[in-house]
Amino acid sequence: MQLLLLPLLVAAAVGLARAAATDDPFLSGAPGNHSYNIDCGGAADFVSVFGRRWLADQFFSAGGQAGMVAEPHRFPQPQERTLRFFPPSSAGKSSCYSLPLPPGRYYLRLFSVYDNYDSKLRTPSFDVSAAATLVLSFRSPWPEPASRYGAYSDLIFPSATSPTSDICFYSLSTDAPVVASIEVAPVHPLAYDGATTGADLILVNYGRLTCGNNLFGPGFTNDSDAFSRVWQSDIDFRNNDLNYDAITAGGRKIFGSNQPPNYFPTKLYTSAITTGGDASNEIEYLMPVDTRMSYMVWLHFAEIDAGIGSAGQRVFDVMLAGKNVTRIDIFKQVGGFTAFKWTYIVENLTSSTMSVKLVPVVGRPILCGLENYAMVPLETRTVPNQVAAMKALKDSLKIPARMGWNGDPCAPRTWDAWEGVTCLRKDKGLVITQLDLASQGLKGYITDEISHLTDLGSVIKPVYWRNSWHHSLLNNNQLDGQVPERLYSIGVHGGVIDLSGNKGLCGVPTLPACALFWEKGGLNRTGKIALGASLGFVLLVTLIVVYILCIRRGPYDYDFEFPQDLTSISAISAKRNRYQRAKSVMLAEMEAHGPDGYYTNGGAH
């Protein structure tokens, strides 16, 4: 997939009132609904003036360094002042935030800011992926407002099939990717046509506008949006060669808003723009796009002019990218003061600017809001069990951070796979076909989960492909422990396996035999069984000694009746105890009598 150039959405206005918990999916926090507000580079958790709980990012991030913008006073929200950057020299080419997300669809918003935090006066270039798919691209130089005050970008994506979903940053050249905050919350599975597109597409925001109003949205103002979207002022996107007038609902109630699955906020429909001057004027917005993508356009209307009381009084055509796609009569569709939504997919664009035009037929056209989403196809990912195997291998081999083993091992395909890893696309997904980890200073052991990398040992029919596609090179490291048989079988089946230069490896031909009880720096199965048996024997001996010393009664102990439901063995033991006591008493009595047959008591008569 080619890189995407996105508009940077600048948020400036910040309100101080709190939003109600029912209106903001981010308020309940991670334990309640798997929503997260992550303060990148922040040192401690805090609660914002809007009631949102922000989490320090130390438990989500795979490295990088914390920083702070050069002029914090320009940023009213604490999470905008701190940032995390990822120097490729220490973190590798990719760095990821791993978020525990169950299967579903999620709304993701990132805040990126430079503000000369490193005193180099040069904004970085980097890419961002979600669900192993390239979704955002920042190219230097950033527009001055974005560089100085920050930029918000958001999208809707399906979570990964593994327990966590990764948001990854990819360094271009020597630039250090930078991010200030990450917000994610679940959304309705049918939102934005999710029934037909939810599983296979990521929707990237290329513009979300409120017409005739200022920026609003939870987390930025005290206005609610159950989807937590921020609605940007439309002024910068209008065709300024045309005249516009703003109108409002005048306090009248709007019906049909804030409904599932999209929960479009009521405030969106309380204002609109219409044409000014001549009644034949048009409304036109000029939206930046990437011609390689298709776009999902949503238009929002409400007949908020009390002077329109019947169908046919306001009619206009909608033209997208120069094509007349529909005719709209709002009152005919829903009546007055009622929200009306319309959507259309635009394909085969030829210009980097898409025209959204409303052309009058009867009366003047009006528009309350506009959304434009790039439809980014979900990339093929590594098959889940091989992802799990590679992450286990990362832990067991103690892969250093500089190698950048973060996110999906093979995707996105725009970027190479993990360092030392070669992948191949098959019907089931991307698979691992080669490992080349020679001379990397690795000090761990080879986990048995490498057996899930079944494509490492499979034979590809053309003989001349074997050596180049099925390698596992782990030579000249400091690995120890037993080598899994599955890994060794690569060489048996025509591949190349090199384990030389690891003095601690054992257990397969050409390597020493493993110690009887030890492997991978600890006890093997045999050792664990032996240890368990030994402990069991010691415990048994201990119980016998305790019984002899503490539990078994002396000859003059009282005899107690056993419960009736005990086993026959207990009953036999009880009888034996009674016999022993009777015998002991008899002997004692015999000793108590003197040789003359009289009872004695210490010699006193």
Side-chain angles (χ1 to χ4, degrees):
M1 191 183 85
Q2 300 297 320
L3 302 183
L4 303 178
L5 300 179
L6 299 185
L8 300 176
L9 307 181
V10 180
V14 177
L16 296 179
R18 295 173 181 262
T22 55
D23 294 331
D24 186 348
F26 290 98
L27 281 179
S28 57
N33 65 358
H34 297 282
S35 64
Y36 299 89
N37 306 294
I38 302 174
D39 178 18
C40 302
D45 299 354
F46 69 94
V47 177
S48 74
V49 294
F50 298 100
R52 289 185 174 187
R53 182 187 177 212
W54 285 87
L55 307 174
D57 69 344
Q58 57 183 322
F59 299 111
F60 301 94
S61 174
Q65 301 176 33
M68 179 170 286
V69 295
E71 299 184 74
H73 62 274
R74 292 207 302 256
F75 298 85
Q77 303 189 69
Q79 71 274 9
E80 295 178 338
R81 303 169 196 156
T82 60
L83 53 85
R84 185 168 295 276
F85 61 99
F86 303 94
S89 58
S90 60
K93 64 185 177 184
S94 65
S95 300
C96 303
Y97 283 84
S98 294
L99 308 178
L101 299 176
R105 297 182 78 203
Y106 291 85
Y107 175 67
L108 169 70
R109 181 163 61 220
L110 303 178
F111 180 66
S112 298
V113 62
Y114 175 66
D115 192 40
N116 199 30
Y117 77 92
D118 57 2
S119 302
K120 293 183 178 179
L121 295 174
R122 183 182 180 278
T123 53
S125 296
F126 59 92
D127 290 340
V128 183
S129 73
T133 301
L134 187 63
V135 291
L136 301 172
S137 184
F138 292 84
R139 291 295 178 268
S140 184
W142 297 11
E144 177 61 24
S147 173
R148 187 173 175 83
Y149 296 102
Y152 280 91
S153 305
D154 63 73
L155 52 94
I156 300 168
F157 74 104
S159 65
T161 54
S162 64
T164 61
S165 290
D166 297 316
I167 310 301
C168 297
F169 300 83
Y170 302 86
S171 172
L172 293 177
S173 185
T174 60
D175 287 0
V178 59
V179 61
S181 69
I182 299 176
E183 302 163 78
V184 62
V187 299
H188 197 290
L190 301 181
Y192 290 97
D193 201 19
T196 57
T197 64
D200 301 319
L201 287 176
I202 296 176
L203 300 180
V204 181
N205 176 20
Y206 267 67
R208 183 186 301 112
L209 311 179
T210 174
C211 301
N213 211 333
N214 295 322
L215 177 146
F216 75 89
F220 296 84
T221 70
N222 62 343
D223 301 287
S224 64
D225 182 324
F227 214 119
S228 204
R229 291 157 295 212
V230 175
W231 298 83
Q232 189 177 5
S233 173
D234 66 330
I235 294 176
D236 293 334
F237 296 88
R238 296 177 187 172
N239 181 347
N240 291 324
D241 293 334
L242 303 174
N243 295 320
Y244 306 92
D245 286 336
I247 59 175
T248 68
R252 294 278 297 272
K253 182 178 180 180
I254 302 295
F255 297 92
S257 62
N258 199 33
Q259 299 295 311
N262 295 316
Y263 298 96
F264 294 121
T266 300
K267 183 169 182 175
L268 178 64
Y269 301 98
T270 61
S271 67
I273 64 162
T274 186
T275 57
D278 194 319
S280 63
N281 280 346
E282 304 167 343
I283 294 174
E284 185 177 27
Y285 287 91
L286 303 174
M287 307 300 297
V289 292
D290 185 325
T291 57
R292 295 163 291 190
M293 307 302 300
S294 298
Y295 288 83
M296 181 183 290
V297 178
W298 287 73
L299 300 182
H300 300 274
F301 307 98
E303 186 50 80
I304 56 177
D305 184 348
I308 303 296
S310 62
Q313 289 184 276
R314 191 195 304 274
V315 182
F316 52 89
D317 289 338
V318 176
M319 299 185 68
L320 298 178
K323 179 182 178 181
N324 193 329
V325 293
T326 193
R327 177 165 291 181
I328 289 182
D329 183 335
I330 303 171
F331 198 96
K332 181 179 179 180
Q333 293 288 337
V334 296
F337 295 91
T338 302
F340 175 57
K341 289 81 64 179
W342 178 87
T343 185
Y344 187 85
I345 295 177
V346 182
E347 301 175 305
N348 302 319
L349 292 166
T350 59
S351 172
S352 60
T353 300
M354 179 176 68
S355 169
V356 178
K357 185 181 294 187
L358 307 184
V359 180
V361 176
V362 178
R364 303 173 187 267
I366 64 170
L367 181 64
C368 294
L370 184 159
E371 295 176 272
N372 188 32
Y373 294 95
M375 304 171 67
V376 181
L378 201 65
E379 289 200 38
T380 302
R381 290 176 271 192
T382 307
V383 295
N385 67 332
Q386 294 203 12
V387 173
M390 291 298 290
K391 290 184 176 180
L393 196 63
K394 172 185 175 180
D395 293 337
S396 70
L397 296 180
K398 296 180 174 59
I399 298 293
R402 58 176 170 76
M403 294 182 67
W405 277 33
N406 302 304
D408 189 290
C410 302
R413 298 299 298 274
T414 301
W415 289 89
D416 294 335
W418 289 1
E419 184 177 342
V421 177
T422 300
C423 304
L424 177 67
R425 181 169 183 169
K426 290 191 174 182
D427 292 339
K428 60 183 178 181
L430 299 175
V431 297
I432 314 297
T433 60
Q434 178 175 314
L435 293 176
D436 186 354
L437 304 176
S439 305
Q440 293 289 349
L442 308 180
K443 296 183 178 181
Y445 64 92
I446 304 172
T447 175
D448 289 336
E449 292 196 42
I450 200 172
S451 62
H452 295 299
L453 304 180
T454 55
D455 297 276
L456 279 177
S458 62
V459 178
I460 292 178
K461 293 182 180 179
V463 176
Y464 57 85
W465 278 8
R466 290 182 182 175
N467 290 345
S468 61
W469 285 61
H470 293 290
H471 285 92
S472 185
L473 307 180
L474 295 164
N475 54 294
N476 299 322
N477 286 295
Q478 301 176 48
L479 306 179
D480 58 21
Q482 185 172 356
V483 176
E485 292 183 5
R486 174 61 184 161
L487 179 62
Y488 177 74
S489 69
I490 294 174
V492 176
H493 292 288
V496 175
I497 173 71
D498 189 349
L499 301 172
S500 63
N502 292 280
K503 295 181 179 180
L505 291 182
C506 61
V508 296
T510 74
L511 294 178
C514 293
L516 180 60
F517 293 142
W518 294 93
E519 68 176 9
K520 302 172 187 173
L523 287 173
N524 60 15
R525 183 179 179 182
T526 304
K528 291 176 181 177
I529 294 175
L531 178 62
S534 300
L535 291 176
F537 178 76
V538 171
L539 179 61
L540 178 62
V541 172
T542 302
L543 290 175
I544 293 173
V545 172
V546 170
Y547 171 77
I548 294 173
L549 297 180
C550 303
I551 299 178
R552 186 175 179 181
R553 290 185 296 265
Y556 293 99
D557 289 347
Y558 287 101
D559 193 14
F560 293 95
E561 190 69 25
F562 283 85
Q564 296 299 317
D565 58 350
L566 288 185
T567 65
S568 59
I569 295 177
S570 298
I572 292 172
S573 299
K575 292 179 180 178
R576 182 181 298 113
N577 288 341
R578 283 195 291 271
Y579 169 77
Q580 292 291 348
R581 181 180 183 279
K583 179 179 179 181
S584 300
V585 171
M586 181 180 67
L587 292 175
E589 290 178 348
M590 291 175 64
E591 293 174 355
H593 290 79
D596 54 0
Y598 291 99
Y599 182 84
T600 61
N601 184 14
H605 296 281

